[in-house]
Amino acid sequence: MKTIDELLADGVSGKRVFVRADLNVPLADGTITDDGRIRAVVPTIKALADAGAEVVVASHLGRPKGAPDPAFSLLPVAERLAELLGTPVAFAEDTVGPAAHAAVDGLEPGQVAVVENLRFNAGETSKDDTERGEFADQLAALADVYVGDGFGAVHRKHASVYDLPARLPHYAGYLIAREVGVLKKLTDDVERPYVVVLGGAKVSDKLAVIDQLLGKADRLLIGGGMAYTFLKAQGHEVGISLLQEDQIPAVKEYMERAEKNGVELILPVDVLVSPEFPDLKTKAPSQHTVVDADKIPADQEGLDIGPKTRELYASKLVDAKTVFWNGPMGVFEHPDYAEGTKAVAQALVGSDGFTVVGGGDSAAAVRTLGFDENAFGHISTGGGASLEYLEGKTLPGLAALED
């Protein structure tokens, strides 16, 4: 895999460089609530612009249905990118049409343009190779060179991620190079003890990675909504908590394998429960109590790990040399149920080991809860991509960057 440093060494002045970024940031009424993914790609864009390249930045945002939708416009992203770069950024109101070509043709060396949401075009996400290829041909007409730096999208076989690199000289940007280097530290030559913290809503989303980690990790700490399927598999009442009944057989098998392999699989010993889900808009105080994990009332829902579990998990992280964390411990968006996630983040901050926050809601939680990002070894920009890499899958966007 060639890197951007090799591209810069060859010289890019006057060349049009297409940067496939991951600018899929959360928006609330058109306002960006977390610009982490934009900031993550700035070093690549700035290095190219400083070297005299004409930089064309492209990304998707949200899940539009293959047609323009103002709710998913990249205009706010382009405006924020301009602020971070400290220079004007042109914005094209289409992706491969007249506006895109006008914006790109108007670039001078060192200037940057952002084209509109790639998913406004059905060819970007098409399952049909020909349709996807035709869209990739249109994108290729905008540039001379391709730089892949959208790590959060490399697990997708999409036109701009998988097909376009085959049509242009291609290189990995700084972000992708760093993400892959970090993931290799979690898979190839791991320093031990190796502790993995998994949370989030659905256990089905994590089964494949648990399957792989049972042969690699020393400890697995389970929290979030997925923990209640594990507790149910142990025969406990989980009330109206999030539960995937159909996953119980697989969970039982994994618990047995963990014991057989000498992997500590640790579940909550107490939880915060409430008769109703909290209001995340108003953040109004919510009625809740703490109960032992095996005593959840039938009419209550588990929404966070309890204080004993926070202490237990912190104690299991204190001596870790490598930590991977993916998924919050509870409904961290509400202050009443943020303490479990906060406790895990604080334990990672206090760790002497190499700590990786695996993107998605975990990365959002770190920022929402006010932690210094530099206090962690690495905060990934791609939760899904990180998990699929750890599962041992071939990621289309990385395969496409290989020579």
Side-chain angles (χ1 to χ4, degrees), residues 3-23:
T3 68
I4 187 176
D5 284 331
E6 294 171 82
L7 172 60
L8 292 170
D10 290 340
V12 293
S13 182
K15 289 184 179 179
R16 289 181 182 169
V17 181
F18 187 103
V19 177
R20 202 325 182 168
D22 177 18
L23 306 176

Side-chain angles (χ1 to χ4, degrees), residues 115-327:
V115 297
E116 187 54 285
N117 194 332
L118 290 163
R119 291 191 186 179
F120 285 1
N121 302 74
E124 170 68 0
T125 59
S126 176
K127 297 289 193 295
D128 182 87
D129 291 349
T130 300
E131 185 179 8
R132 223 175 44 246
E134 289 173 352
F135 183 50
D137 288 338
Q138 292 177 290
L139 291 171
L142 296 174
D144 307 307
V145 181
Y146 177 92
V147 171
D149 216 26
F151 180 73
V154 293
H155 58 315
R156 307 294 187 195
K157 193 175 181 180
H158 291 169
S160 66
V161 175
Y162 179 74
D163 302 273
L164 181 55
R167 289 158 167 78
L168 295 171
H170 46 270
Y171 301 82
Y174 290 128
L175 176 60
I176 278 186
R178 171 146 173 75
E179 293 273 14
V180 171
V182 166
L183 288 168
K184 284 182 177 177
K185 285 187 179 183
L186 299 177
T187 53
D188 295 346
D189 188 20
V190 182
E191 281 196 69
R192 299 185 180 280
Y194 178 21
V195 184
V196 176
V197 186
L198 295 176
K202 294 181 179 179
V203 69
S204 56
D205 293 341
K206 304 292 197 306
L207 284 181
V209 76
I210 291 173
D211 183 50
Q212 287 291 315
L213 291 170
L214 286 175
K216 292 177 178 159
D218 298 301
R219 297 174 200 140
L220 286 176
L221 314 183
I222 306 294
M226 62 184 288
Y228 302 102
T229 301
F230 278 85
L231 292 171
K232 185 72 171 180
Q234 288 185 324
H236 302 312
E237 169 68 58
V238 297
I240 56 173
S241 304
L242 191 60
L243 175 66
Q244 290 185 284
E245 292 262 12
D246 60 323
Q247 302 298 328
I248 288 176
V251 166
K252 284 183 176 179
E253 180 194 340
Y254 285 170
M255 289 193 292
E256 290 168 4
R257 274 181 53 200
E259 186 174 0
K260 184 178 178 181
N261 292 352
V263 177
E264 282 189 83
L265 198 158
I266 304 159
L267 299 177
V269 294
D270 62 344
V271 296
L272 271 66
V273 298
S274 175
E276 58 185 9
F277 198 82
D279 188 328
L280 300 184
K281 210 165 200 179
T282 66
K283 308 288 176 71
S286 170
Q287 176 189 342
H288 61 276
T289 54
V290 178
V291 299
D292 289 343
D294 60 354
K295 292 182 174 60
I296 298 174
D299 62 345
Q300 303 271 308
E301 177 177 12
L303 297 169
D304 193 16
I305 58 173
K308 292 178 185 175
T309 306
R310 291 174 222 148
E311 290 183 16
L312 172 64
Y313 285 11
S315 72
K316 295 295 182 178
L317 288 162
V318 70
D319 65 339
K321 294 300 181 188
T322 305
V323 182
F324 175 72
W325 171 32
N326 180 279

